[in-house]
Amino acid sequence: MQARKAPDTQAVGLMLLFCLVLGGQQVLLKAAADDVAPVLQIAIRSGIGAFLVWLYMRVQGERPERASGNWKPGLWVGLLFAAEYLFLGEALRFTSASRAVVFLYTAPIFAAVLLHFMLPSERMNRVQCLGTALAFGGTALAFLGNGEQSGAGDKALLGDTLALLAGAAWGATTVVIRGTRLGDISPRETLLYQLLMAFVVLSIASVVLGQTHFVASTIALGSLAFQSVVVAFAAFLIWFWLLRHYQAAPIGILSFMTPVFGVLLGAWLLHEPLEPRFVTGSLLVLTGVLLVSAQGMLRSLVRRVRRTL
């Protein structure tokens, strides 16, 4: 098996592109919301993305086998993935894209807490516990700053809560993949299960919620094209390729640029206000997530610095 290498210029460039794409998805969903509801947008993009992933798998000679039983945990992980984007789609109706992306990226904290209680081998150490406390403290501070300048009040608070639930669903998805056979199969097959379930569940949800209104405007069609081809297909394939060829820990650290891009793009393109408490809370959340997810690499870096000194 080929050894994974440290990120080089190519990896950093691809990660910058990946994070920019994911950071921009909430902004485009929000920008096109008047013409196509976010939940319906995500349903459509999931269906197109699933078809593209299936087509790619066929070209690569991959084919999910029913007899393998992978579809059973795939069903659960797909439902969690659908729940994540249902919460996110609804959150974007009430809160800003910049706030939604920060609360969504609390997912590693939820995953770490769940694994801490489920698997003895995944117990958090002191540094990770500190990171968890910082992240949840930052979340509380960001909530306190809700609507400070926008005057959105209870609706914005509801949106923030839904975005946080989306992060919790994403964290639970990570736990299911980690604790089942999905952790050992092709990531493309796992992605296919997620996209298929999201297409089915969110299509039904858009009908139940009365969010089937569709105006074929330039921004709506542009958003759907971007979400379907760039986000649901190309971006995730780039992510899986990077994880296959480069060390996971530094690649994971680079992924924390996503919420930063999301906040900056929301402020720039949608003119969303950045309340001081929200900015401070966001920095605490990102610091906490970094401590929880990358504390091993940070310790190695500190040791190297000490040896140099």
Side-chain angles (χ1 to χ4, degrees), residues 131-184:
T132 301
L134 283 175
F136 280 111
T139 301
L141 186 61
F143 265 97
L144 289 174
N146 188 294
E148 195 173 81
Q149 296 177 9
S150 61
D154 293 339
K155 286 188 176 181
L157 182 61
L158 172 61
D160 287 355
T161 302
L162 288 169
L164 194 61
L165 288 173
W170 185 3
T173 301
T174 302
V175 172
V176 172
I177 292 175
R178 182 70 179 274
T180 65
R181 66 180 70 188
L182 294 180
D184 299 320

Side-chain angles (χ1 to χ4, degrees), residues 54 57-58 60-66 68 189 192-193:
W54 173 82
M57 290 175 67
R58 292 301 298 268
Q60 295 295 315
E62 292 183 44
R63 187 174 182 178
E65 298 291 342
R66 180 186 295 183
S68 67
E189 184 177 344
L192 181 62
Y193 293 135

Side-chain angles (χ1 to χ4, degrees), residues 148-257:
E148 195 173 81
Q149 296 177 9
S150 61
D154 293 339
K155 286 188 176 181
L157 182 61
L158 172 61
D160 287 355
T161 302
L162 288 169
L164 194 61
L165 288 173
W170 185 3
T173 301
T174 302
V175 172
V176 172
I177 292 175
R178 182 70 179 274
T180 65
R181 66 180 70 188
L182 294 180
D184 299 320
I185 67 173
S186 163
R188 288 178 289 273
E189 184 177 344
T190 302
L191 177 59
L192 181 62
Y193 293 135
Q194 291 176 308
L195 292 173
L196 282 174
M197 286 303 299
F199 170 65
V200 173
V201 173
L202 297 181
S203 295
I204 296 172
S206 63
V207 174
V208 172
L209 296 171
Q211 298 182 24
T212 56
H213 178 68
F214 188 102
V215 175
S217 64
T218 302
I219 183 64
L221 296 177
S223 176
L224 286 173
F226 178 84
Q227 301 286 341
S228 302
V229 180
V230 179
V231 176
F233 177 66
F236 285 116
L237 288 181
I238 288 173
W239 172 251
F240 293 139
W241 184 86
L242 285 167
L243 290 180
R244 182 179 293 272
H245 291 87
Y246 294 93
Q247 296 168 1
I251 290 296
I253 291 176
L254 290 171
S255 71
F256 297 137
M257 293 183 293

